[in-house]
Amino acid sequence: MSKKIAVGTRYEHEFRFSQDDVVAFANLTGDHNPIHLDAAYAATTKFKSPIIHGHLSSSVFTRFLGMGEPGGPGSIYMKQETEYLRPMYVDTDYIVIFEVAEVDPVRHIARISTQIKNKETGKVTIRGIGTLMNETHY
């Protein structure tokens, strides 16, 4: 039996997305909005360069929660509340931060604070709460 994860436990992981990731996501979803793919178009917007799709940006939550702690293999992602606060850009270093906010040991469900920060500036780009079920961790 795995060790149970306590409220207040915090995890951080570094990551980045490439333009190839953005193109693959656009092809997978069919979202070919030029704000993500066309540098000349994006230069005419307030963002000045292409931005990453919001759902690609927040997909990092499932990447780490599905394969690492505080989730991991066997976790069932039940819900994600997400606020997109700032744009994210390719080839930029980010930190995803998870903190276990609440645990229901009877139902094996945890509410986990999810947050992404730009590594260089420290500014939060995305924040929210994820709800996961995992019988070995909660």
Side-chain angles (χ1 to χ4, degrees):
M1 183 164 155
S2 294
K3 179 181 173 189
K4 299 294 183 178
I5 297 174
V7 170
T9 305
R10 183 179 166 114
Y11 301 88
E12 295 186 10
H13 306 279
E14 292 185 25
F15 71 98
R16 64 176 24 217
F17 288 107
S18 68
Q19 190 62 31
D20 287 344
D21 294 328
V22 172
V23 170
F25 187 84
N27 289 335
L28 180 66
T29 63
D31 180 354
H32 294 94
N33 184 328
I35 193 64
H36 307 300
L37 303 168
D38 184 338
Y41 171 83
T44 68
T45 72
K46 69 180 183 176
F47 303 110
K48 302 301 178 204
S49 61
I51 61 173
I52 297 171
H53 299 79
H55 283 293
L56 173 58
S57 299
S58 60
S59 73
V60 74
F61 296 150
T62 193
R63 172 179 162 190
F64 289 108
L65 291 175
M67 298 308 297
E69 290 183 321
S75 292
I76 305 299
Y77 217 140
M78 300 173 67
K79 181 177 182 181
Q80 177 69 49
E81 298 172 32
T82 307
E83 292 180 88
Y84 298 93
L85 306 172
R86 291 181 176 78
M88 291 176 60
Y89 300 92
V90 298
D91 300 325
T92 300
D93 293 321
Y94 293 96
I95 301 170
V96 62
I97 302 163
F98 300 109
E99 186 169 337
V100 179
E102 192 178 307
V103 173
D104 178 342
V106 173
R107 295 175 57 216
H108 306 287
I109 294 174
R111 287 177 37 92
I112 299 167
S113 168
T114 55
Q115 186 176 169
I116 296 174
K117 288 184 178 182
N118 180 301
K119 185 178 177 184
E120 182 180 334
T121 68
K123 292 182 178 180
V124 176
T125 60
I126 300 174
R127 69 177 172 217
I129 295 283
T131 304
L132 272 75
M133 179 188 300
N134 186 308
E135 293 184 3
T136 61
H137 288 334
Y138 315 123

